[in-house]
Structures are given as C-alpha cells and as structure tokens.
Amino acid sequence: MKKFFVTLTAALLLSTTVFAAQSEIILPTVETESNLSVMQALNQRKSNRNFVDKNLTTAQLSKILWAANGVNRPDGKRVIPAALKTYSVEVYAVTSEGIYLYDAPNHKLILVAEGDFRSTTTTGQSFVEKAAVNLVFVETPEVWSTARKIPPREVQLANANISVGAMVQSVALAAQTEGLGNCVRGSINRDEFKRAAKLSDDATILLAQSVGFVE
Ligand SMILES: Cc1cc2nc3c(=O)[nH]c(=O)nc-3n(C[C@H](O)[C@H](O)[C@H](O)COP(=O)(O)O)c2cc1C
C-alpha cells in the first residue's frame, strides 16, 4: 500500500513537472543559415489551415519570435522596421501551455497566464486550437510617450499596423524555412483574449497569426 502511494505521489509530481508551463523560457540563439532561399520562401508563401496539434521545438519557437520582433543589431534595432524607432507592438505567443509575452531585448518568453488559451485568439475557426503557437500582435500606446516626436493617435495606430504587416510576412518566411505552416488572422475574440492575457484597457489587439506543423 505504502509503495502504491509513493509511486502515485512520484507520478503526480512528474506530471506537474513535465506539463506545467515554465514561468520563463530562455530562447536559444537563432540559426540564420537555411537551405531555403528568400525567393523560394516567397514563392511558397500561402495561408495554411490544416494544422496538427504538435508542439514546436524551442529552436523553432525562437526562430519564429525572432522573425516577428527580434533584435538583429547591437544597437537594439529589430528585424522589422518601426516608425520613429518606436517599437509599439508586443508579440504574445499562445501555446497549449500558456500565454507568453515575448521579451524581445532579452530574447525570452515570460509567462502571462497558464493553460490552453488558443481558442481565445479566434472567433471560432477550429484549426486555431490545433496550431502549435498563435501569435497575437498588440499595440501598447504608452511606448509612444518616449518617441522623439509624438504623432497623433491615428498615425500611431497606422504605424503599428504597418510594422505588424512586416512582422507577419517575416514570420511566414521563417516558418517556411522550418517546413511549418502559417495563417494570418484578423478574426480574434478580442474581449476574451484581452481578459486572458491581462491586457490593459488601452491595448489594441491588431492581428493574430497561427504557426505550426501541418498535415
Ligand atoms: C489582415 C488579414 C486578416 C486575415 N484574417 C483571416 C482570418 O481571420 N482567418 C483566416 O482564416 N484567414 C485570414 N486571412 C488570410 C486570408 O484569407 C488569405 O491571406 C487570403 O485568402 C489569400 O490566401 P493566401 O494567404 O493563401 O494567399 C487574413 C489575411 C489578412 C492579410
């Protein structure tokens, strides 16, 4: 009997250790070599909706997030352009384990909420719940207060949307180099995601993008 409880306790401990979301995921340095050229990746770009529910490796996650918003120069500037050098768009990575905020300068993921919240990033497209990661692009207006010149609000939002356009194309190409599928998505349950990710009232959810293994 005692042996049974010891085994049961060990099994429970193991299951929580293995499946619990980590509070921080330090992402590995990105491998920038690829057998696929940019022109080949552009030629293959398309939306995929036939995802299979299988986690990405940490190296793949690292590549996708770096392509979305990573730092690519010693002065802190990024893979994607941003008006007035103001990086007002944050990227959230929503996986089967939790919602993470991508900390671009430190190239790591910070846990925001534990659990599978992938369904909150859609208004009902079922493929989203199978995609390994759903990126959600969120504009945070407070960043503009430190800009060299503060544009009117509608220009701030236009600038953010233009950066997001670059982000999703960058992710699509990076995904292609890993043989992963992607789908850019504007249909997002904004209220639910805002609640789940504990976003501030003034945050604007701009776009989402599913990335993952496909059939
Ligand atoms: C701003 C934007 C929003 C989109 N929203 C959705 C969406 O909510 N759901 C979806 O399945 N596809 C969405 N798409 C993908 C388009 O349907 C897709 O790009 C289009 O049909 C062309 O197909 P292709 O990407 O394979 O070339 C969106 C694309 C963009 C650029």
Side-chain angles (χ1 to χ4, degrees), residues 58-211:
T58 314
Q60 289 172 325
L61 203 51
S62 172
K63 200 177 214 184
I64 295 301
L65 287 155
W66 181 81
N69 206 16
V71 172
N72 69 350
R73 280 156 287 169
D75 62 4
K77 289 183 184 172
R78 312 230 178 144
V79 172
I80 53 94
L84 291 159
K85 210 174 66 184
T86 298
Y87 300 102
S88 63
V89 179
E90 296 288 0
V91 182
Y92 287 81
V94 187
T95 72
S96 60
E97 287 164 6
I99 302 178
Y100 295 88
L101 171 65
Y102 177 51
D103 173 352
N106 296 303
H107 196 50
K108 68 179 183 185
L109 289 171
I110 300 165
L111 185 67
V112 172
E114 187 167 4
D116 190 344
F117 292 98
R118 287 178 290 182
S119 66
T120 67
T121 74
T122 176
T123 52
Q125 291 190 283
S126 58
F127 70 83
V128 172
E129 295 178 51
K130 286 190 181 169
V133 59
N134 287 282
L135 304 177
V136 182
F137 302 91
V138 178
E139 197 250 4
T140 48
E142 59 272 14
V143 180
W144 288 105
S145 63
T146 57
R148 172 165 51 82
K149 193 177 79 188
I150 301 179
R153 185 71 191 124
E154 67 269 24
V155 178
Q156 293 176 8
L157 276 170
N159 291 342
N161 273 303
I162 290 163
S163 282
V164 171
M167 288 171 162
V168 295
Q169 186 73 343
S170 179
V171 166
L173 299 183
Q176 206 70 55
T177 68
E178 288 294 318
L180 301 170
N182 89 96
C183 186
V184 172
R185 298 184 294 102
S187 305
I188 304 162
N189 190 330
R190 287 174 167 76
D191 289 341
E192 260 198 57
F193 183 74
K194 216 168 192 178
R195 256 194 306 278
K198 302 164 192 157
L199 299 180
S200 59
D201 285 345
D202 60 358
T204 304
I205 298 169
L206 301 174
L207 205 57
Q209 187 173 23
S210 302
V211 179

